Amino acid sequence: MLAALQQLSERLTPCPSDDLPPLADELRGEFAGWRELRDDPWDDLPEVAATHLDELIELSALGVRALDGDTLVHTDIRADNLLIRPDRSVVVVDWPWACRGCAWFDTLCVLLNVELYGGHDVERLLAETPLLADVPAEAIDGVLVGLGGFFYNACRRPPSPGLPTLRQFQRDQGDAVLRWLSVRRTW
């Protein structure tokens, strides 16, 4: 799967469409989740996040800047948007959020999905994945933090009609971000 995403990013750089929005523009509002959680506190926010809220706000702003690039990115890569063929090749499906951004974003999102469900050392995978190996740690942390703020802010919204498990899934993803960041940062 990681090799398939590497190949896909190579084929989709430069972005084959001028009509797609920049990833940073699309996620800027979502990456403001920590700021919204500070301005409208949430009782269920994990203590580590509440304790480091100012740092999380700063890191998510850095994360927005790290999203710039000229690759066609899926933006919603996770296990249920990947099909594995009998020959072990990978097909990426469900592209409604396609954007133009950094080549490594989709691969980082897959690793977040791996962290969510377990079974692999995501730090080892991060270090061994060529697409991510040279990305500065602060950029990785900034994007993870931005995603975490989005997930926690979104999970406290009212249930979504027709998607009864969405809010819990968002909460679980936020928890996965904090779990991973606790390995990456000295909190």
Side-chain angles (χ1 to χ4, degrees):
M1 173 185 61
L2 293 172
L5 290 174
Q6 171 83 31
Q7 292 168 355
L8 190 62
S9 74
E10 290 168 1
R11 281 184 276 178
L12 297 176
T13 305
C15 184
S17 173
D18 294 332
D19 297 331
L20 294 174
L23 181 60
D25 290 353
E26 292 298 297
L27 293 183
R28 184 170 282 106
E30 279 78 358
F31 277 30
W34 295 113
R35 186 175 313 277
E36 292 179 29
L37 286 158
R38 182 198 62 200
D39 296 345
D40 180 16
W42 179 47
D43 292 339
D44 285 344
L45 189 63
E47 184 177 340
V48 68
T51 302
H52 296 280
L53 207 46
D54 290 337
E55 181 182 356
L56 294 169
I57 290 168
E58 287 179 29
L59 278 169
S60 59
L62 186 148
V64 170
R65 292 189 299 276
L67 297 172
D68 287 334
D70 191 32
T71 300
L72 173 61
V73 292
H74 183 280
T75 311
D76 194 24
I77 290 281
R78 54 181 197 266
D80 60 330
N81 285 332
L82 300 170
L83 302 176
I84 310 296
R85 293 180 176 145
D87 68 358
R88 303 196 71 189
S89 62
V90 177
V91 177
V92 180
V93 299
D94 196 12
W95 286 78
W97 309 110
C99 290
R100 200 174 61 254
C102 59
W104 49 270
F105 181 78
D106 287 338
T107 301
L108 184 65
C109 288
V110 158
L111 292 184
L112 177 55
N113 201 232
V114 170
E115 175 64 26
L116 174 64
Y117 294 111
H120 296 278
D121 178 349
V122 289
E123 279 297 300
R124 185 181 59 77
L125 291 172
L126 184 94
E128 293 174 355
T129 301
L131 197 55
L132 292 164
D134 294 329
V135 177
E138 289 292 309
I140 297 286
D141 290 351
V143 171
L144 286 173
V145 166
L147 290 169
F150 163 69
F151 293 135
Y152 279 127
N153 194 41
C155 80
R156 64 188 183 145
R157 295 178 187 146
S160 180
L163 296 171
T165 61
L166 177 63
R167 299 302 178 220
Q168 184 61 52
F169 180 60
Q170 290 167 329
R171 172 66 190 248
D172 293 345
Q173 289 180 101
D175 291 345
V177 166
L178 286 185
R179 196 169 47 247
W180 190 358
L181 285 170
S182 72
V183 172
R184 296 183 56 78
R185 303 196 69 82
T186 55
W187 285 342

